[in-house]
Amino acid sequence: MRSSDWQKSSYSAANNECVEVRTVAGAVELRESDEGHLVLRTTPTALASLLHALKAGEFDHHA
């Protein structure tokens, strides 16, 4: 997996409050556009598992 530029969510439109993602050295990095200095780094597998769980509603019942 090669390094890429930050990509903004298509849901953000012109708004600067959005999630951005990129790949770096086999990892996936996520950040909020208005807090660009804070970066979450994870593996593609872990991110895929999280997204699957979110889509399945596994966290809907947590307060």
Side-chain angles (χ1 to χ4, degrees):
M1 189 178 296
R2 68 188 231 301
S3 179
S4 60
D5 294 329
W6 289 105
Q7 294 181 333
K8 187 184 289 192
S9 168
S10 60
Y11 290 100
S12 66
N15 192 342
N16 284 335
E17 298 176 6
C18 63
V19 173
E20 297 176 320
V21 64
R22 73 177 178 182
T23 59
V24 176
V28 178
E29 293 185 340
L30 300 146
R31 71 179 183 183
E32 190 172 339
S33 61
D34 61 345
E35 293 287 337
H37 62 284
L38 299 173
V39 177
L40 173 68
R41 178 179 268 198
T42 189
T43 65
T45 303
L47 180 59
S49 294
L50 174 63
L51 293 174
H52 179 73
L54 289 168
K55 289 178 182 180
E58 292 184 26
F59 303 104
D60 290 352
H61 62 281
H62 295 281

PDB file of all heavy atoms in Angstrom, residues 26-57:
ATOM      1  N   GLY A  26       1.398   1.112   4.679  1.00  0.00           N
ATOM      2  CA  GLY A  26       0.595  -0.048   5.033  1.00  0.00           C
ATOM      3  C   GLY A  26      -0.428   0.199   6.123  1.00  0.00           C
ATOM      4  O   GLY A  26      -1.155  -0.700   6.514  1.00  0.00           O
ATOM      5  N   ALA A  27      -0.506   1.420   6.639  1.00  0.00           N
ATOM      6  CA  ALA A  27      -1.473   1.768   7.677  1.00  0.00           C
ATOM      7  C   ALA A  27      -2.513   2.724   7.100  1.00  0.00           C
ATOM      8  O   ALA A  27      -2.335   3.292   6.026  1.00  0.00           O
ATOM      9  CB  ALA A  27      -0.769   2.437   8.859  1.00  0.00           C
ATOM     10  N   VAL A  28      -3.596   2.886   7.841  1.00  0.00           N
ATOM     11  CA  VAL A  28      -4.633   3.847   7.488  1.00  0.00           C
ATOM     12  C   VAL A  28      -4.615   4.928   8.556  1.00  0.00           C
ATOM     13  O   VAL A  28      -4.596   4.627   9.752  1.00  0.00           O
ATOM     14  CB  VAL A  28      -6.025   3.176   7.446  1.00  0.00           C
ATOM     15  CG1 VAL A  28      -7.098   4.202   7.135  1.00  0.00           C
ATOM     16  CG2 VAL A  28      -6.056   2.053   6.432  1.00  0.00           C
ATOM     17  N   GLU A  29      -4.601   6.188   8.134  1.00  0.00           N
ATOM     18  CA  GLU A  29      -4.628   7.311   9.068  1.00  0.00           C
ATOM     19  C   GLU A  29      -5.924   8.081   8.894  1.00  0.00           C
ATOM     20  O   GLU A  29      -6.380   8.294   7.775  1.00  0.00           O
ATOM     21  CB  GLU A  29      -3.438   8.238   8.843  1.00  0.00           C
ATOM     22  CG  GLU A  29      -2.118   7.600   9.198  1.00  0.00           C
ATOM     23  CD  GLU A  29      -0.943   8.547   9.087  1.00  0.00           C
ATOM     24  OE1 GLU A  29      -1.042   9.587   8.396  1.00  0.00           O
ATOM     25  OE2 GLU A  29       0.076   8.248   9.716  1.00  0.00           O
ATOM     26  N   LEU A  30      -6.501   8.488  10.020  1.00  0.00           N
ATOM     27  CA  LEU A  30      -7.741   9.256  10.043  1.00  0.00           C
ATOM     28  C   LEU A  30      -7.525  10.519  10.858  1.00  0.00           C
ATOM     29  O   LEU A  30      -6.788  10.494  11.844  1.00  0.00           O
ATOM     30  CB  LEU A  30      -8.863   8.436  10.700  1.00  0.00           C
ATOM     31  CG  LEU A  30      -9.186   7.120  10.018  1.00  0.00           C
ATOM     32  CD1 LEU A  30      -9.583   6.093  11.036  1.00  0.00           C
ATOM     33  CD2 LEU A  30     -10.276   7.335   9.002  1.00  0.00           C
ATOM     34  N   ARG A  31      -8.174  11.595  10.446  1.00  0.00           N
ATOM     35  CA  ARG A  31      -8.116  12.828  11.225  1.00  0.00           C
ATOM     36  C   ARG A  31      -9.380  13.637  10.960  1.00  0.00           C
ATOM     37  O   ARG A  31     -10.066  13.444   9.958  1.00  0.00           O
ATOM     38  CB  ARG A  31      -6.890  13.657  10.884  1.00  0.00           C
ATOM     39  CG  ARG A  31      -6.938  14.294   9.507  1.00  0.00           C
ATOM     40  CD  ARG A  31      -5.716  15.116   9.220  1.00  0.00           C
ATOM     41  NE  ARG A  31      -5.827  15.781   7.918  1.00  0.00           N
ATOM     42  CZ  ARG A  31      -4.881  16.514   7.383  1.00  0.00           C
ATOM     43  NH1 ARG A  31      -3.728  16.680   8.028  1.00  0.00           N
ATOM     44  NH2 ARG A  31      -5.060  17.082   6.213  1.00  0.00           N
ATOM     45  N   GLU A  32      -9.671  14.543  11.866  1.00  0.00           N
ATOM     46  CA  GLU A  32     -10.751  15.501  11.670  1.00  0.00           C
ATOM     47  C   GLU A  32     -10.105  16.731  11.040  1.00  0.00           C
ATOM     48  O   GLU A  32      -9.069  17.211  11.509  1.00  0.00           O
ATOM     49  CB  GLU A  32     -11.401  15.846  13.001  1.00  0.00           C
ATOM     50  CG  GLU A  32     -12.653  16.645  12.845  1.00  0.00           C
ATOM     51  CD  GLU A  32     -13.399  16.828  14.146  1.00  0.00           C
ATOM     52  OE1 GLU A  32     -13.189  16.050  15.088  1.00  0.00           O
ATOM     53  OE2 GLU A  32     -14.188  17.771  14.198  1.00  0.00           O
ATOM     54  N   SER A  33     -10.703  17.256  10.001  1.00  0.00           N
ATOM     55  CA  SER A  33     -10.055  18.323   9.231  1.00  0.00           C
ATOM     56  C   SER A  33      -9.731  19.552  10.056  1.00  0.00           C
ATOM     57  O   SER A  33      -8.720  20.213   9.813  1.00  0.00           O
ATOM     58  CB  SER A  33     -10.908  18.707   8.029  1.00  0.00           C
ATOM     59  OG  SER A  33     -12.164  19.175   8.453  1.00  0.00           O
ATOM     60  N   ASP A  34     -10.555  19.893  11.044  1.00  0.00           N
ATOM     61  CA  ASP A  34     -10.268  21.088  11.834  1.00  0.00           C
ATOM     62  C   ASP A  34      -9.328  20.807  13.006  1.00  0.00           C
ATOM     63  O   ASP A  34      -8.987  21.716  13.757  1.00  0.00           O
ATOM     64  CB  ASP A  34     -11.556  21.763  12.309  1.00  0.00           C
ATOM     65  CG  ASP A  34     -12.409  20.890  13.208  1.00  0.00           C
ATOM     66  OD1 ASP A  34     -12.179  19.675  13.253  1.00  0.00           O
ATOM     67  OD2 ASP A  34     -13.319  21.427  13.862  1.00  0.00           O
ATOM     68  N   GLU A  35      -8.889  19.570  13.180  1.00  0.00           N
ATOM     69  CA  GLU A  35      -7.894  19.178  14.194  1.00  0.00           C
ATOM     70  C   GLU A  35      -6.816  18.345  13.508  1.00  0.00           C
ATOM     71  O   GLU A  35      -6.507  17.230  13.927  1.00  0.00           O
ATOM     72  CB  GLU A  35      -8.557  18.371  15.321  1.00  0.00           C
ATOM     73  CG  GLU A  35      -9.530  19.141  16.167  1.00  0.00           C
ATOM     74  CD  GLU A  35      -8.847  20.127  17.103  1.00  0.00           C
ATOM     75  OE1 GLU A  35      -7.652  19.939  17.433  1.00  0.00           O
ATOM     76  OE2 GLU A  35      -9.506  21.103  17.504  1.00  0.00           O
ATOM     77  N   GLY A  36      -6.240  18.881  12.441  1.00  0.00           N
ATOM     78  CA  GLY A  36      -5.316  18.145  11.587  1.00  0.00           C
ATOM     79  C   GLY A  36      -4.070  17.610  12.267  1.00  0.00           C
ATOM     80  O   GLY A  36      -3.427  16.696  11.753  1.00  0.00           O
ATOM     81  N   HIS A  37      -3.712  18.138  13.427  1.00  0.00           N
ATOM     82  CA  HIS A  37      -2.514  17.672  14.122  1.00  0.00           C
ATOM     83  C   HIS A  37      -2.776  16.384  14.902  1.00  0.00           C
ATOM     84  O   HIS A  37      -1.834  15.715  15.320  1.00  0.00           O
ATOM     85  CB  HIS A  37      -1.988  18.761  15.060  1.00  0.00           C
ATOM     86  CG  HIS A  37      -2.952  19.129  16.145  1.00  0.00           C
ATOM     87  ND1 HIS A  37      -4.063  19.911  15.902  1.00  0.00           N
ATOM     88  CD2 HIS A  37      -2.976  18.813  17.454  1.00  0.00           C
ATOM     89  CE1 HIS A  37      -4.730  20.059  17.038  1.00  0.00           C
ATOM     90  NE2 HIS A  37      -4.098  19.401  17.998  1.00  0.00           N
ATOM     91  N   LEU A  38      -4.047  16.000  15.085  1.00  0.00           N
ATOM     92  CA  LEU A  38      -4.392  14.765  15.784  1.00  0.00           C
ATOM     93  C   LEU A  38      -4.719  13.693  14.755  1.00  0.00           C
ATOM     94  O   LEU A  38      -5.687  13.823  14.006  1.00  0.00           O
ATOM     95  CB  LEU A  38      -5.604  14.981  16.698  1.00  0.00           C
ATOM     96  CG  LEU A  38      -5.432  16.017  17.796  1.00  0.00           C
ATOM     97  CD1 LEU A  38      -6.750  16.243  18.510  1.00  0.00           C
ATOM     98  CD2 LEU A  38      -4.365  15.563  18.781  1.00  0.00           C
ATOM     99  N   VAL A  39      -3.910  12.637  14.718  1.00  0.00           N
ATOM    100  CA  VAL A  39      -4.070  11.587  13.712  1.00  0.00           C
ATOM    101  C   VAL A  39      -4.207  10.243  14.401  1.00  0.00           C
ATOM    102  O   VAL A  39      -3.421   9.904  15.288  1.00  0.00           O
ATOM    103  CB  VAL A  39      -2.862  11.569  12.752  1.00  0.00           C
ATOM    104  CG1 VAL A  39      -2.978  10.434  11.754  1.00  0.00           C
ATOM    105  CG2 VAL A  39      -2.734  12.908  12.029  1.00  0.00           C
ATOM    106  N   LEU A  40      -5.216   9.480  13.992  1.00  0.00           N
ATOM    107  CA  LEU A  40      -5.413   8.115  14.463  1.00  0.00           C
ATOM    108  C   LEU A  40      -4.861   7.182  13.404  1.00  0.00           C
ATOM    109  O   LEU A  40      -5.245   7.277  12.231  1.00  0.00           O
ATOM    110  CB  LEU A  40      -6.902   7.838  14.685  1.00  0.00           C
ATOM    111  CG  LEU A  40      -7.271   6.406  15.021  1.00  0.00           C
ATOM    112  CD1 LEU A  40      -6.738   6.038  16.404  1.00  0.00           C
ATOM    113  CD2 LEU A  40      -8.778   6.226  14.964  1.00  0.00           C
ATOM    114  N   ARG A  41      -3.958   6.301  13.791  1.00  0.00           N
ATOM    115  CA  ARG A  41      -3.359   5.356  12.849  1.00  0.00           C
ATOM    116  C   ARG A  41      -3.800   3.949  13.222  1.00  0.00           C
ATOM    117  O   ARG A  41      -3.745   3.563  14.383  1.00  0.00           O
ATOM    118  CB  ARG A  41      -1.838   5.447  12.879  1.00  0.00           C
ATOM    119  CG  ARG A  41      -1.171   4.433  11.952  1.00  0.00           C
ATOM    120  CD  ARG A  41       0.311   4.579  11.985  1.00  0.00           C
ATOM    121  NE  ARG A  41       0.655   5.518  10.909  1.00  0.00           N
ATOM    122  CZ  ARG A  41       1.856   5.633  10.406  1.00  0.00           C
ATOM    123  NH1 ARG A  41       2.847   4.929  10.879  1.00  0.00           N
ATOM    124  NH2 ARG A  41       2.081   6.488   9.433  1.00  0.00           N
ATOM    125  N   THR A  42      -4.242   3.177  12.234  1.00  0.00           N
ATOM    126  CA  THR A  42      -4.695   1.807  12.459  1.00  0.00           C
ATOM    127  C   THR A  42      -4.373   0.949  11.235  1.00  0.00           C
ATOM    128  O   THR A  42      -3.839   1.448  10.252  1.00  0.00           O
ATOM    129  CB  THR A  42      -6.216   1.796  12.769  1.00  0.00           C
ATOM    130  OG1 THR A  42      -6.602   0.484  13.185  1.00  0.00           O
ATOM    131  CG2 THR A  42      -7.039   2.226  11.584  1.00  0.00           C
ATOM    132  N   THR A  43      -4.711  -0.317  11.330  1.00  0.00           N
ATOM    133  CA  THR A  43      -4.494  -1.220  10.199  1.00  0.00           C
ATOM    134  C   THR A  43      -5.742  -1.243   9.324  1.00  0.00           C
ATOM    135  O   THR A  43      -6.851  -0.974   9.817  1.00  0.00           O
ATOM    136  CB  THR A  43      -4.206  -2.655  10.679  1.00  0.00           C
ATOM    137  OG1 THR A  43      -5.379  -3.168  11.333  1.00  0.00           O
ATOM    138  CG2 THR A  43      -3.005  -2.697  11.610  1.00  0.00           C
ATOM    139  N   PRO A  44      -5.594  -1.585   8.059  1.00  0.00           N
ATOM    140  CA  PRO A  44      -6.781  -1.698   7.203  1.00  0.00           C
ATOM    141  C   PRO A  44      -7.787  -2.722   7.748  1.00  0.00           C
ATOM    142  O   PRO A  44      -8.997  -2.500   7.687  1.00  0.00           O
ATOM    143  CB  PRO A  44      -6.205  -2.143   5.855  1.00  0.00           C
ATOM    144  CG  PRO A  44      -4.805  -1.631   5.861  1.00  0.00           C
ATOM    145  CD  PRO A  44      -4.354  -1.750   7.290  1.00  0.00           C
ATOM    146  N   THR A  45      -7.299  -3.814   8.308  1.00  0.00           N
ATOM    147  CA  THR A  45      -8.174  -4.848   8.846  1.00  0.00           C
ATOM    148  C   THR A  45      -8.977  -4.338  10.033  1.00  0.00           C
ATOM    149  O   THR A  45     -10.192  -4.572  10.132  1.00  0.00           O
ATOM    150  CB  THR A  45      -7.354  -6.092   9.262  1.00  0.00           C
ATOM    151  OG1 THR A  45      -6.627  -6.557   8.125  1.00  0.00           O
ATOM    152  CG2 THR A  45      -8.239  -7.192   9.801  1.00  0.00           C
ATOM    153  N   ALA A  46      -8.323  -3.624  10.947  1.00  0.00           N
ATOM    154  CA  ALA A  46      -9.014  -3.089  12.119  1.00  0.00           C
ATOM    155  C   ALA A  46     -10.051  -2.051  11.705  1.00  0.00           C
ATOM    156  O   ALA A  46     -11.165  -2.027  12.250  1.00  0.00           O
ATOM    157  CB  ALA A  46      -8.017  -2.489  13.100  1.00  0.00           C
ATOM    158  N   LEU A  47      -9.734  -1.198  10.748  1.00  0.00           N
ATOM    159  CA  LEU A  47     -10.687  -0.193  10.285  1.00  0.00           C
ATOM    160  C   LEU A  47     -11.881  -0.864   9.610  1.00  0.00           C
ATOM    161  O   LEU A  47     -13.027  -0.478   9.848  1.00  0.00           O
ATOM    162  CB  LEU A  47     -10.023   0.795   9.329  1.00  0.00           C
ATOM    163  CG  LEU A  47     -10.934   1.890   8.786  1.00  0.00           C
ATOM    164  CD1 LEU A  47     -11.534   2.737   9.912  1.00  0.00           C
ATOM    165  CD2 LEU A  47     -10.196   2.766   7.797  1.00  0.00           C
ATOM    166  N   ALA A  48     -11.628  -1.875   8.810  1.00  0.00           N
ATOM    167  CA  ALA A  48     -12.716  -2.601   8.151  1.00  0.00           C
ATOM    168  C   ALA A  48     -13.636  -3.252   9.183  1.00  0.00           C
ATOM    169  O   ALA A  48     -14.864  -3.228   9.040  1.00  0.00           O
ATOM    170  CB  ALA A  48     -12.159  -3.647   7.196  1.00  0.00           C
ATOM    171  N   SER A  49     -13.060  -3.806  10.239  1.00  0.00           N
ATOM    172  CA  SER A  49     -13.861  -4.422  11.303  1.00  0.00           C
ATOM    173  C   SER A  49     -14.722  -3.384  12.011  1.00  0.00           C
ATOM    174  O   SER A  49     -15.895  -3.628  12.313  1.00  0.00           O
ATOM    175  CB  SER A  49     -12.959  -5.124  12.317  1.00  0.00           C
ATOM    176  OG  SER A  49     -12.307  -6.212  11.727  1.00  0.00           O
ATOM    177  N   LEU A  50     -14.153  -2.214  12.290  1.00  0.00           N
ATOM    178  CA  LEU A  50     -14.902  -1.138  12.931  1.00  0.00           C
ATOM    179  C   LEU A  50     -16.048  -0.679  12.041  1.00  0.00           C
ATOM    180  O   LEU A  50     -17.184  -0.523  12.499  1.00  0.00           O
ATOM    181  CB  LEU A  50     -13.987   0.041  13.265  1.00  0.00           C
ATOM    182  CG  LEU A  50     -14.695   1.283  13.806  1.00  0.00           C
ATOM    183  CD1 LEU A  50     -15.387   0.992  15.136  1.00  0.00           C
ATOM    184  CD2 LEU A  50     -13.729   2.438  13.937  1.00  0.00           C
ATOM    185  N   LEU A  51     -15.780  -0.446  10.767  1.00  0.00           N
ATOM    186  CA  LEU A  51     -16.823   0.005   9.852  1.00  0.00           C
ATOM    187  C   LEU A  51     -17.935  -1.028   9.724  1.00  0.00           C
ATOM    188  O   LEU A  51     -19.121  -0.680   9.693  1.00  0.00           O
ATOM    189  CB  LEU A  51     -16.228   0.330   8.480  1.00  0.00           C
ATOM    190  CG  LEU A  51     -15.285   1.529   8.441  1.00  0.00           C
ATOM    191  CD1 LEU A  51     -14.654   1.670   7.060  1.00  0.00           C
ATOM    192  CD2 LEU A  51     -15.994   2.796   8.853  1.00  0.00           C
ATOM    193  N   HIS A  52     -17.577  -2.294   9.671  1.00  0.00           N
ATOM    194  CA  HIS A  52     -18.565  -3.369   9.597  1.00  0.00           C
ATOM    195  C   HIS A  52     -19.461  -3.356  10.846  1.00  0.00           C
ATOM    196  O   HIS A  52     -20.683  -3.452  10.750  1.00  0.00           O
ATOM    197  CB  HIS A  52     -17.869  -4.725   9.451  1.00  0.00           C
ATOM    198  CG  HIS A  52     -18.815  -5.867   9.396  1.00  0.00           C
ATOM    199  ND1 HIS A  52     -19.603  -6.128   8.302  1.00  0.00           N
ATOM    200  CD2 HIS A  52     -19.118  -6.815  10.320  1.00  0.00           C
ATOM    201  CE1 HIS A  52     -20.355  -7.191   8.550  1.00  0.00           C
ATOM    202  NE2 HIS A  52     -20.077  -7.626   9.772  1.00  0.00           N
ATOM    203  N   ALA A  53     -18.841  -3.206  12.011  1.00  0.00           N
ATOM    204  CA  ALA A  53     -19.596  -3.180  13.268  1.00  0.00           C
ATOM    205  C   ALA A  53     -20.518  -1.956  13.328  1.00  0.00           C
ATOM    206  O   ALA A  53     -21.667  -2.057  13.777  1.00  0.00           O
ATOM    207  CB  ALA A  53     -18.639  -3.178  14.460  1.00  0.00           C
ATOM    208  N   LEU A  54     -20.040  -0.800  12.871  1.00  0.00           N
ATOM    209  CA  LEU A  54     -20.868   0.406  12.849  1.00  0.00           C
ATOM    210  C   LEU A  54     -22.078   0.227  11.936  1.00  0.00           C
ATOM    211  O   LEU A  54     -23.209   0.560  12.303  1.00  0.00           O
ATOM    212  CB  LEU A  54     -20.045   1.613  12.398  1.00  0.00           C
ATOM    213  CG  LEU A  54     -18.999   2.120  13.384  1.00  0.00           C
ATOM    214  CD1 LEU A  54     -18.063   3.108  12.699  1.00  0.00           C
ATOM    215  CD2 LEU A  54     -19.660   2.748  14.589  1.00  0.00           C
ATOM    216  N   LYS A  55     -21.841  -0.315  10.744  1.00  0.00           N
ATOM    217  CA  LYS A  55     -22.930  -0.520   9.784  1.00  0.00           C
ATOM    218  C   LYS A  55     -23.940  -1.546  10.291  1.00  0.00           C
ATOM    219  O   LYS A  55     -25.126  -1.457   9.987  1.00  0.00           O
ATOM    220  CB  LYS A  55     -22.371  -0.955   8.437  1.00  0.00           C
ATOM    221  CG  LYS A  55     -21.656   0.160   7.709  1.00  0.00           C
ATOM    222  CD  LYS A  55     -21.086  -0.332   6.403  1.00  0.00           C
ATOM    223  CE  LYS A  55     -20.331   0.763   5.687  1.00  0.00           C
ATOM    224  NZ  LYS A  55     -19.758   0.311   4.412  1.00  0.00           N
ATOM    225  N   ALA A  56     -23.470  -2.508  11.062  1.00  0.00           N
ATOM    226  CA  ALA A  56     -24.354  -3.556  11.610  1.00  0.00           C
ATOM    227  C   ALA A  56     -25.113  -3.075  12.832  1.00  0.00           C
ATOM    228  O   ALA A  56     -25.959  -3.794  13.357  1.00  0.00           O
ATOM    229  CB  ALA A  56     -23.523  -4.797  11.951  1.00  0.00           C
ATOM    230  N   GLY A  57     -24.815  -1.870  13.321  1.00  0.00           N
ATOM    231  CA  GLY A  57     -25.509  -1.312  14.468  1.00  0.00           C
ATOM    232  C   GLY A  57     -25.048  -1.844  15.801  1.00  0.00           C
ATOM    233  O   GLY A  57     -25.750  -1.738  16.803  1.00  0.00           O
TER     234      GLY A  57
END
